Amino acid sequence: MKRLFDFSVALLLLVALWPLLLLLAVMVRLHLGSPVLFRQLRPGLHGHPFYICKFRTMTDACDVDGVLRADAERLTPPGRFMRRFSLDELPQLFNVLRGDLSLVGPRPLLMEYLPLYSAGQARRHEVRPGITGWAQVNGRNAISWDERFRLDVWYVEHHSFLLDMKILWMTLLKVLRSEGVSQKGHATMEKFRGSAP
């Protein structure tokens, strides 16, 4: 039932929002050039990798050693606007159609974090990851990593259709209010380096 709901809603949203998607794609192309989409390998259900798609919000600016500059230095004004209202996430609706993502579930993080998880934290991969989730509506990027993982595992243990509907409604309110977009002192969120033993 969840998969059918995800597919149906993602398809309806893509049909309804295609003018906005086209407008955002043109904006990214004019400000950042090609490619318009940012693709990155992320762990999905049971940790199986897939490529997540978002609109690009950052430049590829590097320092003199060829290392990418900090997010805050690479984030463009249009990128800040898109992130503020989560518009950069809209291409992930295609990931939902493909079955890589659900509408609701723990957010897929970086592949490099996989060996850093405790056994409890790794339970977040027991369900399909989502565009939004319980951690996103309870703090998003403004909460600590330990709190985020605690909320993700709580969702794994309690997920239901009614809970998903609640999370989707709360997500809409959070996006409209632009809450929790970044962690204090960071353009997005600090990197996860493992939990203290």
Side-chain angles (χ1 to χ4, degrees):
M1 179 179 173
K2 178 164 179 160
R3 177 70 188 125
L4 178 60
F5 176 80
D6 286 342
F7 185 91
S8 302
V9 172
L11 186 60
L12 286 172
L13 287 173
L14 284 169
V15 170
L17 297 175
W18 74 263
L20 175 60
L21 288 164
L22 182 60
L23 179 64
L24 292 171
V26 170
M27 183 173 73
V28 173
R29 179 70 175 83
L30 291 175
H31 285 272
L32 291 172
S34 293
V36 167
L37 293 179
F38 168 78
R39 295 177 74 245
Q40 188 178 54
L41 205 59
R42 299 283 180 95
L45 182 63
H46 305 307
H48 296 304
F50 72 98
Y51 280 98
I52 199 169
C53 292
K54 299 183 180 186
F55 282 122
R56 285 179 64 208
T57 58
M58 298 184 187
T59 69
D60 295 322
C62 297
D63 61 21
V64 291
D65 298 318
V67 178
L68 278 176
R69 295 185 181 276
D71 288 354
E73 298 177 59
R74 297 186 296 118
L75 196 56
T76 63
R80 283 191 181 87
F81 171 78
M82 285 194 290
R83 283 182 176 236
R84 181 178 177 187
F85 296 104
S86 299
L87 297 173
D88 59 314
E89 311 278 357
L90 289 177
Q92 290 172 52
L93 291 169
F94 290 106
N95 286 119
V96 175
L97 290 185
R98 287 169 44 88
D100 302 322
L101 287 175
S102 177
L103 292 174
V104 178
R107 284 293 296 154
L109 302 173
L110 300 177
M111 295 296 294
E112 66 192 70
Y113 292 169
L114 286 177
L116 302 178
Y117 296 145
S118 67
Q121 291 167 346
R123 293 196 59 206
R124 66 194 313 277
H125 296 294
E126 292 177 11
V127 297
R128 202 181 310 274
I131 294 179
T132 186
W134 190 233
Q136 277 58 52
V137 298
N138 284 284
R140 202 171 172 185
N141 290 332
I143 58 176
S144 69
W145 281 111
D146 285 342
E147 179 67 6
R148 175 186 286 223
F149 293 136
R150 186 188 69 76
L151 292 166
D152 285 342
V153 173
W154 185 92
Y155 175 81
V156 170
E157 294 173 343
H158 298 88
H159 66 95
S160 67
F161 182 75
L162 287 178
L163 179 59
D164 284 358
M165 294 302 98
K166 177 180 178 178
I167 291 171
L168 288 171
W169 172 247
M170 291 175 70
T171 297
L172 179 61
L173 297 179
K174 289 281 183 182
V175 167
L176 292 175
R177 295 169 184 163
S178 302
E179 294 177 352
V181 176
S182 61
Q183 196 172 48
K184 189 175 181 180
H186 296 271
T188 52
M189 189 170 185
E190 67 175 334
K191 290 189 74 170
F192 178 61
R193 304 185 191 283
S195 298

